[in-house]
Amino acid sequence: MAAACWRLVRGAPRAFCRVLLQNFSQQRSLTTGRGLVPRPRPLPFLLVTGGGYLGYQLYWKKDYSDDEAPPHLASPTQVAFYRSFPTRLLSRAWGRLNGVNLPTWLRKPVFSLYIWTFGVNMQEAAVEDLHQYRNLGEFFRRRLKPAVRPVCASSCLISPADGKILHFGRVKNSEVEQVKGVTYSLENFLGPQLKHAKYSSSSSFQEHLLSSPDSDLFHVVVYLAPGDYHCFHSPTDWKVELRRHFPGSLMSVNPGVARWVKELFCLNERVALTGQWKHGFFSLTAVGATNVGSIRVYFDQELQTNSPRYNKGSFHDRRYVAEGDQVTTTAGEGAVVLVDGGGVTLQKGDAVGEFNLGSTIVLLFEAPKDFTFNLQPGQRIRVGEGIGGL
Protein backbone atom coordinates (compact mmCIF):
# COMPACT_ATOMS: atom_id res chain seq x y z
CA MET A 1 0.00 0.00 0.00
CA ALA A 2 2.83 2.41 0.85
CA ALA A 3 4.35 1.83 -2.60
CA ALA A 4 0.99 2.52 -4.28
CA CYS A 5 0.62 5.78 -2.34
CA TRP A 6 4.12 6.76 -3.42
CA ARG A 7 3.31 6.16 -7.10
CA LEU A 8 0.12 8.24 -6.87
CA VAL A 9 1.91 11.32 -5.62
CA ARG A 10 5.35 10.85 -7.09
CA GLY A 11 5.07 14.21 -8.84
CA ALA A 12 4.80 15.98 -5.47
CA PRO A 13 7.82 17.23 -3.53
CA ARG A 14 9.74 14.57 -1.59
CA ALA A 15 9.09 16.32 1.70
CA PHE A 16 5.33 16.03 1.19
CA CYS A 17 5.62 12.35 0.24
CA ARG A 18 7.55 11.60 3.41
CA VAL A 19 4.91 13.32 5.52
CA LEU A 20 2.14 11.40 3.78
CA LEU A 21 3.83 8.02 4.24
CA GLN A 22 4.67 8.74 7.86
CA ASN A 23 1.07 9.67 8.57
CA PHE A 24 -0.15 6.54 6.83
CA SER A 25 2.18 4.23 8.76
CA GLN A 26 1.39 5.88 12.09
CA GLN A 27 -2.34 5.39 11.60
CA ARG A 28 -2.40 1.70 10.80
CA SER A 29 -3.73 0.99 14.30
CA LEU A 30 -5.40 3.66 16.39
CA THR A 31 -6.95 3.28 19.80
CA THR A 32 -9.00 5.53 22.06
CA GLY A 33 -10.45 5.17 25.49
CA ARG A 34 -13.50 3.54 23.96
CA GLY A 35 -11.72 0.89 21.97
CA LEU A 36 -10.33 0.29 18.54
CA VAL A 37 -10.98 2.92 15.85
CA PRO A 38 -11.41 1.63 12.26
CA ARG A 39 -8.24 2.00 10.26
CA PRO A 40 -8.32 5.11 8.01
CA ARG A 41 -8.37 4.48 4.28
CA PRO A 42 -6.55 7.35 2.56
CA LEU A 43 -6.54 5.78 -0.91
CA PRO A 44 -9.91 7.27 -2.05
CA PHE A 45 -8.76 10.73 -1.02
CA LEU A 46 -5.45 10.27 -2.82
CA LEU A 47 -7.26 9.12 -5.96
CA VAL A 48 -9.46 12.21 -5.89
CA THR A 49 -6.61 14.64 -5.31
CA GLY A 50 -4.38 12.83 -7.79
CA GLY A 51 -7.09 12.91 -10.44
CA GLY A 52 -7.62 16.60 -9.78
CA TYR A 53 -3.92 17.21 -10.18
CA LEU A 54 -3.79 15.40 -13.53
CA GLY A 55 -6.85 17.31 -14.74
CA TYR A 56 -5.24 20.55 -13.69
CA GLN A 57 -2.10 19.72 -15.65
CA LEU A 58 -4.17 19.12 -18.80
CA TYR A 59 -6.04 22.41 -18.42
CA TRP A 60 -2.83 24.24 -17.51
CA LYS A 61 -1.40 23.31 -20.90
CA LYS A 62 -4.55 24.55 -22.64
CA ASP A 63 -4.60 27.71 -20.54
CA TYR A 64 -1.12 28.75 -21.58
CA SER A 65 -1.52 28.03 -25.26
CA ASP A 66 -0.79 30.78 -27.79
CA ASP A 67 -3.42 33.47 -27.11
CA GLU A 68 -2.69 35.13 -30.46
CA ALA A 69 -3.64 32.06 -32.47
CA PRO A 70 -7.13 32.20 -34.03
CA PRO A 71 -9.66 30.22 -31.97
CA HIS A 72 -10.58 26.77 -33.19
CA LEU A 73 -14.24 26.42 -32.27
CA ALA A 74 -15.92 23.15 -31.42
CA SER A 75 -18.54 21.88 -33.83
CA PRO A 76 -22.17 21.55 -32.66
CA THR A 77 -21.66 17.78 -32.50
CA GLN A 78 -18.59 18.16 -30.28
CA VAL A 79 -20.43 20.58 -27.98
CA ALA A 80 -23.43 18.23 -27.78
CA PHE A 81 -21.10 15.33 -26.93
CA TYR A 82 -19.39 17.39 -24.22
CA ARG A 83 -22.74 18.44 -22.76
CA SER A 84 -23.84 14.80 -22.64
CA PHE A 85 -21.24 14.09 -19.95
CA PRO A 86 -22.92 13.80 -16.51
CA THR A 87 -21.13 16.89 -15.21
CA ARG A 88 -24.10 17.94 -13.08
CA LEU A 89 -24.23 14.57 -11.35
CA LEU A 90 -20.46 14.54 -10.91
CA SER A 91 -20.57 18.06 -9.49
CA ARG A 92 -23.19 17.07 -6.92
CA ALA A 93 -21.09 14.04 -5.98
CA TRP A 94 -18.03 16.27 -5.66
CA GLY A 95 -20.04 18.62 -3.44
CA ARG A 96 -20.91 15.74 -1.12
CA LEU A 97 -17.30 14.59 -1.04
CA ASN A 98 -16.26 18.13 -0.13
CA GLY A 99 -18.51 17.92 2.92
CA VAL A 100 -16.98 14.69 4.27
CA ASN A 101 -14.91 15.47 7.35
CA LEU A 102 -11.32 14.28 7.09
CA PRO A 103 -9.49 12.67 10.00
CA THR A 104 -7.28 15.23 11.71
CA TRP A 105 -4.10 13.37 10.71
CA LEU A 106 -5.06 13.44 7.01
CA ARG A 107 -6.00 17.11 6.72
CA LYS A 108 -2.52 18.57 6.42
CA PRO A 109 -1.27 16.10 3.77
CA VAL A 110 -4.39 16.49 1.58
CA PHE A 111 -4.56 20.28 1.86
CA SER A 112 -0.79 20.57 1.39
CA LEU A 113 -1.04 18.71 -1.90
CA TYR A 114 -3.82 21.06 -3.02
CA ILE A 115 -1.81 24.14 -1.93
CA TRP A 116 1.27 22.94 -3.82
CA THR A 117 -0.70 22.01 -6.95
CA PHE A 118 -2.69 25.24 -7.31
CA GLY A 119 -0.33 27.74 -5.67
CA VAL A 120 -2.57 28.76 -2.76
CA ASN A 121 -1.21 31.58 -0.59
CA MET A 122 -2.15 30.48 2.93
CA GLN A 123 -0.44 33.51 4.50
CA GLU A 124 -3.50 35.52 3.44
CA ALA A 125 -5.99 33.10 5.02
CA ALA A 126 -7.74 34.12 8.23
CA VAL A 127 -7.02 30.59 9.51
CA GLU A 128 -3.58 29.32 8.48
CA ASP A 129 -3.65 26.11 10.52
CA LEU A 130 -4.68 23.38 8.06
CA HIS A 131 -5.92 21.15 10.88
CA GLN A 132 -8.74 23.62 11.54
CA TYR A 133 -10.40 22.93 8.17
CA ARG A 134 -12.61 19.89 8.68
CA ASN A 135 -13.21 19.14 5.00
CA LEU A 136 -12.34 20.23 1.49
CA GLY A 137 -15.41 22.46 1.28
CA GLU A 138 -14.32 24.55 4.25
CA PHE A 139 -10.84 24.85 2.79
CA PHE A 140 -12.17 25.97 -0.62
CA ARG A 141 -14.35 28.63 1.04
CA ARG A 142 -11.65 29.88 3.40
CA ARG A 143 -11.88 33.50 4.46
CA LEU A 144 -9.07 36.05 4.22
CA LYS A 145 -7.52 38.34 6.78
CA PRO A 146 -9.38 41.67 6.83
CA ALA A 147 -6.43 43.82 5.74
CA VAL A 148 -5.19 41.78 2.74
CA ARG A 149 -7.84 43.06 0.28
CA PRO A 150 -8.04 46.87 0.65
CA VAL A 151 -10.72 48.55 -1.46
CA CYS A 152 -9.46 51.14 -3.95
CA ALA A 153 -11.13 54.43 -3.00
CA SER A 154 -10.12 56.31 -6.16
CA SER A 155 -11.85 53.93 -8.60
CA CYS A 156 -15.63 53.81 -9.03
CA LEU A 157 -15.37 50.15 -10.07
CA ILE A 158 -13.26 47.46 -8.39
CA SER A 159 -12.59 43.80 -9.07
CA PRO A 160 -15.32 41.56 -7.59
CA ALA A 161 -13.00 38.55 -7.26
CA ASP A 162 -9.44 37.27 -7.30
CA GLY A 163 -8.63 35.89 -10.72
CA LYS A 164 -7.47 36.47 -14.25
CA ILE A 165 -8.91 39.05 -16.65
CA LEU A 166 -10.11 37.12 -19.68
CA HIS A 167 -11.63 40.03 -21.57
CA PHE A 168 -12.99 43.54 -21.15
CA GLY A 169 -14.24 46.40 -23.28
CA ARG A 170 -17.35 47.83 -24.91
CA VAL A 171 -20.26 45.64 -25.90
CA LYS A 172 -20.86 45.85 -29.64
CA ASN A 173 -23.90 44.71 -31.61
CA SER A 174 -25.36 42.97 -28.53
CA GLU A 175 -22.46 40.49 -28.61
CA VAL A 176 -20.01 40.00 -25.73
CA GLU A 177 -16.55 38.45 -25.97
CA GLN A 178 -15.93 35.64 -23.48
CA VAL A 179 -12.32 35.45 -24.67
CA LYS A 180 -10.60 37.11 -27.61
CA GLY A 181 -12.37 36.18 -30.84
CA VAL A 182 -15.18 34.13 -29.23
CA THR A 183 -18.49 35.84 -28.52
CA TYR A 184 -21.91 35.11 -27.07
CA SER A 185 -25.31 36.75 -27.31
CA LEU A 186 -26.09 39.36 -24.67
CA GLU A 187 -29.80 38.51 -24.82
CA ASN A 188 -29.18 34.78 -24.39
CA PHE A 189 -26.88 35.49 -21.47
CA LEU A 190 -29.17 37.83 -19.49
CA GLY A 191 -32.56 36.64 -20.72
CA PRO A 192 -35.53 38.91 -21.56
CA GLN A 193 -35.73 42.16 -19.65
CA LEU A 194 -38.93 43.25 -17.90
CA LYS A 195 -38.38 46.99 -17.94
CA HIS A 196 -40.02 49.01 -20.69
CA ALA A 197 -37.44 50.31 -23.11
CA LYS A 198 -37.15 54.03 -23.88
CA TYR A 199 -36.25 53.17 -27.45
CA SER A 200 -38.33 52.06 -30.38
CA SER A 201 -39.19 48.44 -31.03
CA SER A 202 -36.57 48.40 -33.77
CA SER A 203 -33.73 49.16 -31.34
CA SER A 204 -31.30 46.43 -30.29
CA PHE A 205 -31.35 44.47 -27.04
CA GLN A 206 -28.24 46.38 -25.99
CA GLU A 207 -30.01 49.72 -26.42
CA HIS A 208 -32.96 48.45 -24.37
CA LEU A 209 -30.67 48.14 -21.37
CA LEU A 210 -29.35 51.70 -21.56
CA SER A 211 -31.01 54.56 -19.70
CA SER A 212 -29.40 57.25 -21.85
CA PRO A 213 -28.32 57.48 -25.51
CA ASP A 214 -25.14 59.14 -24.25
CA SER A 215 -24.03 55.94 -22.49
CA ASP A 216 -22.37 52.75 -23.65
CA LEU A 217 -22.48 49.18 -22.34
CA PHE A 218 -19.21 47.70 -21.03
CA HIS A 219 -18.14 44.28 -19.78
CA VAL A 220 -15.41 42.55 -17.76
CA VAL A 221 -14.80 38.79 -17.45
CA VAL A 222 -12.83 37.50 -14.43
CA TYR A 223 -11.81 33.83 -14.27
CA LEU A 224 -11.29 32.28 -10.82
CA ALA A 225 -8.77 29.40 -10.83
CA PRO A 226 -9.08 26.52 -8.31
CA GLY A 227 -6.40 28.04 -6.10
CA ASP A 228 -8.01 31.48 -5.90
CA TYR A 229 -10.07 32.97 -3.08
CA HIS A 230 -13.60 31.78 -3.92
CA CYS A 231 -15.82 34.54 -2.52
CA PHE A 232 -17.02 37.39 -4.73
CA HIS A 233 -17.74 40.95 -3.65
CA SER A 234 -19.70 43.98 -4.79
CA PRO A 235 -17.68 45.89 -7.42
CA THR A 236 -19.42 49.22 -6.74
CA ASP A 237 -22.22 50.95 -4.84
CA TRP A 238 -25.43 49.70 -6.43
CA LYS A 239 -28.92 48.30 -5.86
CA VAL A 240 -29.86 44.75 -6.89
CA GLU A 241 -33.39 44.58 -8.27
CA LEU A 242 -33.55 41.07 -9.69
CA ARG A 243 -31.93 37.67 -9.20
CA ARG A 244 -32.24 35.37 -12.21
CA HIS A 245 -31.10 31.75 -11.96
CA PHE A 246 -30.40 29.86 -15.20
CA PRO A 247 -30.10 26.08 -14.66
CA GLY A 248 -27.82 24.62 -17.30
CA SER A 249 -24.72 22.65 -18.12
CA LEU A 250 -21.61 22.59 -15.95
CA MET A 251 -18.82 22.59 -18.50
CA SER A 252 -15.37 23.84 -17.57
CA VAL A 253 -14.88 27.61 -17.89
CA ASN A 254 -11.10 27.35 -18.11
CA PRO A 255 -9.79 29.91 -20.65
CA GLY A 256 -8.73 27.08 -22.96
CA VAL A 257 -12.28 25.70 -23.01
CA ALA A 258 -13.76 29.21 -23.33
CA ARG A 259 -11.76 29.60 -26.55
CA TRP A 260 -13.19 26.33 -27.86
CA VAL A 261 -16.92 26.43 -26.97
CA LYS A 262 -18.87 29.36 -28.39
CA GLU A 263 -21.54 30.77 -26.03
CA LEU A 264 -20.10 28.71 -23.18
CA PHE A 265 -21.36 31.22 -20.61
CA CYS A 266 -24.88 31.02 -22.05
CA LEU A 267 -24.92 27.21 -21.84
CA ASN A 268 -23.63 26.91 -18.28
CA GLU A 269 -25.60 27.31 -15.07
CA ARG A 270 -25.39 30.87 -13.80
CA VAL A 271 -26.92 33.38 -11.39
CA ALA A 272 -27.39 36.92 -12.72
CA LEU A 273 -27.90 39.83 -10.32
CA THR A 274 -29.18 42.90 -12.17
CA GLY A 275 -30.03 46.40 -10.99
CA GLN A 276 -28.89 49.99 -11.11
CA TRP A 277 -25.83 52.02 -10.19
CA LYS A 278 -25.22 55.76 -10.50
CA HIS A 279 -24.70 55.51 -14.26
CA GLY A 280 -27.64 53.22 -15.07
CA PHE A 281 -27.86 49.46 -15.75
CA PHE A 282 -25.55 47.16 -13.79
CA SER A 283 -25.26 43.38 -13.54
CA LEU A 284 -23.00 40.81 -11.90
CA THR A 285 -23.29 37.21 -13.12
CA ALA A 286 -21.71 34.23 -11.36
CA VAL A 287 -21.16 31.46 -13.94
CA GLY A 288 -20.97 27.88 -12.67
CA ALA A 289 -18.61 25.22 -13.98
CA THR A 290 -17.65 21.58 -13.51
CA ASN A 291 -17.54 20.83 -9.77
CA VAL A 292 -18.88 24.35 -9.12
CA GLY A 293 -22.60 23.67 -9.39
CA SER A 294 -23.12 25.31 -6.00
CA ILE A 295 -23.32 29.11 -6.20
CA ARG A 296 -24.33 30.86 -2.99
CA VAL A 297 -25.66 34.42 -2.68
CA TYR A 298 -25.55 35.54 0.95
CA PHE A 299 -28.67 37.73 0.90
CA ASP A 300 -30.82 35.15 -0.92
CA GLN A 301 -31.28 31.98 1.11
CA GLU A 302 -33.91 30.63 -1.30
CA LEU A 303 -31.43 30.18 -4.14
CA GLN A 304 -30.72 26.51 -4.86
CA THR A 305 -28.31 25.77 -7.72
CA ASN A 306 -27.44 22.49 -9.46
CA SER A 307 -30.78 20.91 -8.67
CA PRO A 308 -31.24 17.34 -10.00
CA ARG A 309 -34.40 18.36 -11.85
CA TYR A 310 -34.32 21.27 -14.27
CA ASN A 311 -35.59 22.27 -17.72
CA LYS A 312 -33.04 23.33 -20.29
CA GLY A 313 -33.57 26.89 -21.42
CA SER A 314 -35.58 27.85 -18.35
CA PHE A 315 -34.81 30.46 -15.74
CA HIS A 316 -36.19 31.40 -12.34
CA ASP A 317 -36.57 34.96 -11.09
CA ARG A 318 -36.73 36.57 -7.71
CA ARG A 319 -37.47 40.29 -7.78
CA TYR A 320 -36.40 42.55 -4.93
CA VAL A 321 -38.22 45.68 -6.15
CA ALA A 322 -42.02 45.85 -6.08
CA GLU A 323 -43.80 46.99 -9.22
CA GLY A 324 -47.26 47.83 -7.95
CA ASP A 325 -49.05 45.34 -5.73
CA GLN A 326 -49.03 42.39 -8.11
CA VAL A 327 -46.84 39.33 -8.19
CA THR A 328 -46.36 38.43 -11.83
CA THR A 329 -44.97 35.45 -13.70
CA THR A 330 -42.24 35.96 -16.27
CA ALA A 331 -41.21 33.93 -19.28
CA GLY A 332 -38.98 31.02 -18.45
CA GLU A 333 -41.32 29.31 -16.00
CA GLY A 334 -40.16 31.38 -13.03
CA ALA A 335 -42.47 33.08 -10.53
CA VAL A 336 -41.33 36.55 -9.49
CA VAL A 337 -41.16 37.00 -5.71
CA LEU A 338 -41.36 40.53 -4.31
CA VAL A 339 -38.98 41.18 -1.42
CA ASP A 340 -39.52 44.32 0.71
CA GLY A 341 -40.02 46.36 -2.45
CA GLY A 342 -36.85 48.44 -2.10
CA GLY A 343 -34.17 46.24 -3.61
CA VAL A 344 -30.93 45.05 -2.04
CA THR A 345 -28.40 47.84 -1.50
CA LEU A 346 -24.74 46.83 -1.76
CA GLN A 347 -21.69 48.92 -0.98
CA LYS A 348 -18.39 48.67 -2.83
CA GLY A 349 -16.42 45.75 -1.39
CA ASP A 350 -19.36 44.05 0.40
CA ALA A 351 -19.24 40.25 0.35
CA VAL A 352 -21.97 39.01 -2.03
CA GLY A 353 -21.52 35.24 -2.39
CA GLU A 354 -19.20 32.32 -2.98
CA PHE A 355 -18.38 29.40 -5.27
CA ASN A 356 -17.46 25.92 -4.14
CA LEU A 357 -14.34 25.91 -6.32
CA GLY A 358 -13.24 28.28 -9.09
CA SER A 359 -15.43 29.74 -11.82
CA THR A 360 -16.16 33.03 -13.62
CA ILE A 361 -17.67 36.44 -12.84
CA VAL A 362 -19.08 38.57 -15.68
CA LEU A 363 -19.80 42.28 -15.12
CA LEU A 364 -22.05 44.13 -17.59
CA PHE A 365 -22.71 47.79 -16.89
CA GLU A 366 -23.78 51.09 -18.38
CA ALA A 367 -21.39 54.02 -18.16
CA PRO A 368 -20.60 57.29 -19.96
CA LYS A 369 -18.81 56.86 -23.26
CA ASP A 370 -15.55 58.18 -21.79
CA PHE A 371 -15.30 55.36 -19.23
CA THR A 372 -11.84 53.76 -19.43
CA PHE A 373 -10.40 50.49 -18.09
CA ASN A 374 -7.15 50.22 -16.15
CA LEU A 375 -6.57 46.63 -17.21
CA GLN A 376 -4.49 44.41 -19.46
CA PRO A 377 -5.80 41.17 -21.02
CA GLY A 378 -4.62 38.15 -19.05
CA GLN A 379 -3.45 40.10 -16.00
CA ARG A 380 -3.95 38.78 -12.48
CA ILE A 381 -6.24 40.86 -10.29
CA ARG A 382 -7.48 40.75 -6.71
CA VAL A 383 -10.63 41.82 -4.89
CA GLY A 384 -10.68 45.57 -4.27
CA GLU A 385 -8.25 46.60 -7.01
CA GLY A 386 -9.52 49.30 -9.35
CA ILE A 387 -10.52 48.20 -12.83
CA GLY A 388 -11.69 51.46 -14.37
CA GLY A 389 -13.23 54.91 -14.00
CA LEU A 390 -14.05 58.22 -15.59
Side-chain angles (χ1 to χ4, degrees):
M1 178 61 73
C5 293
W6 176 264
R7 286 195 298 271
L8 280 170
V9 296
R10 60 184 177 182
R14 293 183 178 179
F16 171 76
C17 294
R18 278 197 298 270
V19 170
L20 183 59
L21 292 175
Q22 288 171 1
N23 279 322
F24 176 76
S25 60
Q26 292 170 1
Q27 301 300 322
R28 292 183 65 87
S29 59
L30 297 178
T31 59
T32 66
R34 290 181 291 180
L36 187 65
V37 176
R39 187 178 65 184
R41 299 181 182 277
L43 185 57
F45 294 102
L46 291 174
L47 290 174
V48 170
T49 53
Y53 171 72
L54 292 175
Y56 169 77
Q57 290 297 320
L58 292 175
Y59 282 130
W60 185 85
K61 292 177 181 179
K62 289 178 70 67
D63 191 3
Y64 289 89
S65 59
D66 185 6
D67 290 336
E68 298 302 322
H72 176 70
L73 296 178
S75 67
T77 301
Q78 289 174 316
V79 174
F81 180 70
Y82 186 10
R83 296 185 71 185
S84 70
F85 289 179
T87 53
R88 294 178 61 84
L89 177 62
L90 292 174
S91 297
R92 287 194 294 275
W94 177 258
R96 294 197 176 190
L97 179 63
N98 284 353
V100 175
N101 289 343
L102 300 175
T104 304
W105 67 270
L106 191 58
R107 294 173 188 175
K108 187 172 182 179
V110 170
F111 297 146
S112 295
L113 177 59
Y114 189 92
I115 291 168
W116 174 77
T117 302
F118 297 108
V120 179
N121 184 0
M122 286 302 295
Q123 293 182 348
E124 296 180 336
V127 178
E128 296 186 41
D129 183 4
L130 298 181
H131 293 102
Q132 298 301 313
Y133 297 99
R134 296 174 297 178
N135 52 57
L136 289 167
E138 288 188 0
F139 181 73
F140 293 150
R141 299 187 299 271
R142 63 192 176 277
R143 297 298 186 263
L144 301 182
K145 296 173 182 175
V148 299
R149 292 293 184 272
V151 174
C152 179
S154 61
S155 178
C156 66
L157 200 64
I158 63 171
S159 175
D162 288 7
K164 176 182 178 181
I165 300 295
L166 291 191
H167 208 276
F168 63 91
R170 299 175 190 266
V171 177
K172 300 178 181 179
N173 302 320
S174 299
E175 291 282 325
V176 188
E177 286 198 87
Q178 60 191 30
V179 293
K180 185 175 180 180
V182 182
T183 63
Y184 57 93
S185 164
L186 181 62
E187 185 170 7
N188 290 342
F189 184 69
L190 291 178
Q193 300 299 296
L194 302 179
K195 299 182 68 173
H196 296 289
K198 296 183 180 180
Y199 297 88
S200 66
S201 58
S202 61
S203 59
S204 67
F205 181 85
Q206 177 177 337
E207 292 173 320
H208 280 226
L209 298 177
L210 301 177
S211 61
S212 169
D214 297 325
S215 299
D216 268 341
L217 198 64
F218 299 83
H219 79 284
V220 182
V221 182
V222 183
Y223 167 69
L224 290 73
D228 286 326
Y229 168 59
H230 298 129
C231 296
F232 50 93
H233 295 245
S234 175
T236 191
D237 299 336
W238 65 303
K239 180 177 289 186
V240 183
E241 299 175 346
L242 175 71
R243 180 265 286 162
R244 175 166 286 169
H245 171 215
F246 294 84
S249 302
L250 288 174
M251 296 181 282
S252 171
V253 292
N254 179 276
V257 179
R259 288 174 55 86
W260 184 60
V261 179
K262 184 177 175 60
E263 299 222 340
L264 173 64
F265 297 159
C266 296
L267 298 175
N268 268 17
E269 181 148 3
R270 60 198 182 278
V271 176
L273 304 176
T274 59
Q276 298 288 315
W277 74 319
K278 62 182 179 181
H279 299 299
F281 174 82
F282 196 93
S283 74
L284 181 154
T285 302
V287 182
T290 308
N291 296 336
V292 199
S294 176
I295 302 171
R296 182 183 175 193
V297 175
Y298 296 140
F299 58 78
D300 192 339
Q301 300 302 314
E302 295 185 9
L303 176 64
Q304 297 291 330
T305 58
N306 196 14
S307 172
R309 302 178 64 181
Y310 77 103
N311 296 321
K312 291 183 179 180
S314 67
F315 60 82
H316 309 283
D317 285 353
R318 186 178 184 188
R319 179 162 290 276
Y320 306 118
V321 176
E323 294 183 353
D325 297 326
Q326 295 182 345
V327 178
T328 60
T329 300
T330 67
E333 306 173 3
V336 176
V337 181
L338 303 180
V339 180
D340 298 332
V344 178
T345 301
L346 296 175
Q347 302 298 317
K348 184 168 64 173
D350 286 351
V352 176
E354 63 188 32
F355 294 108
N356 266 351
L357 198 61
S359 195
T360 297
I361 294 288
V362 178
L363 300 182
L364 287 158
F365 57 93
E366 178 181 358
K369 295 181 183 292
D370 59 349
F371 180 90
T372 56
F373 289 100
N374 302 321
L375 299 172
Q376 295 294 327
Q379 80 171 68
R380 295 287 306 173
I381 199 164
R382 305 199 304 176
V383 171
E385 294 181 351
I387 60 177
L390 299 171

